[in-house]
Amino acid sequence: MVGKLILPGEGRTLYSYQPRDAAPFHIPNGKTLNSRTAFSAAHVVADPLADTDPLSDGQIDWDTTMAYRHHLWSLGLSVAEAMDTAQRGMGLSWSRAKELIHRSVKEAKAVGGRIASGAGTDQLAPVPEVTLEDVEAAYEEQCGFVEKEGSQVILMASRALAACAKGPDDYVCVYNRVLSNVSQPVILHWLGDMFDPSLQGYWGHRNLDEAMDVCLGIIRENETKVDGIKISLLDADKEIKMRRLLPGSVRMYTGDDFNYPALIKGDEQGYSHALLGIFDAIAPAAASALHALEEGNLTAYDSILDKTVPLARHIFQKPTFSYKTGVVFMAYLNNHQPHFRMIGGMESARSITHLADLFVLADQAGLLEEPELAAERMKIVLAQAGIEQGDKQWMIKA
């Protein structure tokens, strides 16, 4: 049995917590997922020994980063590469993303893993002086690179377009031109401003229903070039509404890290596939639940995924864009990387109390793969915050 930990709680108090024993998830060997496509947006592992400025020039530990992608593929999940979970635009530049995509596509081909990669406009500064022609050229450069590498394109939302567009017609013009030039159907990406405040008013409207109408119009006009759309609005009703309005050939990929169990399971009128950052943090549970769904075992599906929702809502709490810290912390606790360092210094984006609560919620969801090792790593992080373990006199909350 794992020993107790002293953890920080509300109001600067400390309390004793007893982690549970490990209970591995059942994941059938060799079975593929057919009823749902499930992408995990994957994080990158920083190189902690690189002698560069971690804020402006953080380096990537390529071996460990690639190993995590192999872990996801081994579970039957697909990989969404160079997305916001990989700190795209928050430490990961386009030049570094190109190398990441190149390496990941090569690894995917080696094991037959599915991969789709983010193409955006982050080589441009998001300023009003940028022109629509600049945005189109940036999109076309990135889409061309991703397709040349052999990956499906995820057409990411553009900060530069949000900065320079005068209204819905500008979005229609840019997306129609970009989609006309891709060779294979892409996944569109509608990212809410809770994930990136600079994307407020995307599609030319702040009202989500009006924005949805613009987006649906683009999809209908370019149906043969659109595999699906991922929306990350954290609003299940909006996703279901849009899902029911999509052309029959176009998939909905949920990006709702709060309501994913019900959205993936679906209703009498349809369901969502998945393209989720939270699947990086809960990969074994996600894979096990999806295999249960594949077998028609809805009870097991609900039982597994429902336990992960409190953890997901905690990791993605406001400010939502700091969720990457929790994702990487989970990888550290579960020994998928030997340290808790991030490019851009993002390991400091959440408080020690937040990380302690994450540890407890992960434990309660059965997501600590080696509880004893996870507890030892938690102790290291706690000690860095001045919280020592042992018999010292603490104010222990009942």
Side-chain angles (χ1 to χ4, degrees), residues 51-130:
D51 189 17
T52 58
D53 178 6
L55 299 182
S56 62
D57 190 26
Q59 302 295 304
I60 294 174
D61 177 344
W62 292 112
D63 289 342
T64 311
T65 295
M66 291 301 108
Y68 196 74
R69 280 133 183 82
H70 280 280
H71 169 64
L72 294 172
W73 287 316
S74 74
L75 297 172
L77 300 175
S78 303
V79 168
E81 189 54 276
M83 303 293 291
D84 46 313
T85 302
Q87 296 182 243
R88 189 77 177 268
M90 292 185 68
L92 185 74
S93 65
W94 167 233
S95 61
R96 192 63 49 77
K98 288 169 71 175
E99 183 174 5
L100 177 62
I101 292 167
H102 172 75
R103 288 173 178 263
S104 291
V105 172
K106 181 179 178 181
E107 297 298 319
K109 290 177 179 178
V111 298
R114 182 171 178 180
I115 187 169
S117 305
T121 65
D122 47 331
Q123 69 271 56
L124 295 177
V127 295
E129 290 76 23
V130 170

Side-chain angles (χ1 to χ4, degrees), residues 138 302 341 386:
D302 291 337
R341 300 281 293 178

Side-chain angles (χ1 to χ4, degrees), residues 139-275:
Y139 263 138
E140 288 173 4
E141 175 194 343
Q142 295 202 17
C143 288
F145 175 82
V146 171
E147 290 197 327
K148 184 179 179 181
E149 289 295 316
S151 172
Q152 183 179 17
V153 169
I154 302 171
L155 200 63
M156 301 176 71
S158 168
R159 291 176 177 175
L161 180 55
C164 72
K166 300 297 190 292
D169 289 346
D170 288 344
Y171 287 87
V172 173
C173 178
V174 168
Y175 273 85
N176 282 349
R177 289 183 181 177
V178 173
L179 289 171
S180 70
N181 289 324
V182 296
S183 61
Q184 298 293 329
V186 308
I187 300 172
L188 299 181
H189 188 196
W190 183 1
L191 193 67
D193 57 16
M194 69 288 293
F195 288 91
D196 188 341
S198 64
L199 297 176
Q200 188 174 58
Y202 211 72
W203 307 115
H205 293 287
R206 294 197 176 193
N207 178 279
L208 292 180
D209 290 321
E210 293 176 341
M212 187 185 298
D213 287 340
V214 176
C215 183
L216 284 166
I218 292 170
I219 291 171
R220 290 172 185 138
E221 191 168 346
N222 299 277
E223 184 176 347
T224 61
K225 294 297 185 77
V226 180
D227 165 45
I229 179 168
K230 161 192 163 76
I231 64 171
S232 300
L233 302 177
L234 303 183
D235 186 327
D237 291 338
K238 294 295 184 193
E239 178 173 324
I240 292 170
K241 176 182 178 181
M242 188 173 190
R243 186 172 75 195
R244 293 174 177 174
L245 293 171
L246 287 172
S249 66
V250 177
R251 301 179 177 191
M252 172 61 73
Y253 289 90
T254 186
D256 190 329
D257 301 281
F258 283 2
N259 303 296
Y260 52 93
L263 291 166
I264 295 169
K265 184 165 66 172
D267 55 31
E268 67 284 352
Q269 297 186 47
Y271 54 82
S272 297
H273 298 271
L275 202 166

Side-chain angles (χ1 to χ4, degrees), residues 282-348:
I282 68 166
S288 181
L290 288 168
H291 281 291
L293 183 64
E294 195 93 357
E295 296 166 0
N297 190 343
L298 298 182
T299 299
Y301 173 87
D302 291 337
S303 176
I304 295 167
L305 278 195
D306 286 352
K307 293 175 184 176
T308 70
V309 171
L311 173 66
R313 288 177 174 261
H314 180 71
I315 288 176
F316 283 81
Q317 69 179 239
K318 294 181 180 179
T320 306
F321 51 76
S322 292
Y323 79 87
K324 297 92 170 172
T325 303
V327 167
V328 173
F329 192 58
M330 280 293 296
Y332 169 63
L333 291 176
N334 282 324
N335 201 28
H336 292 292
Q337 57 190 75
H339 60 83
F340 181 42
R341 300 281 293 178
M342 299 176 66
I343 59 174
M346 283 292 293
E347 67 273 8
S348 64

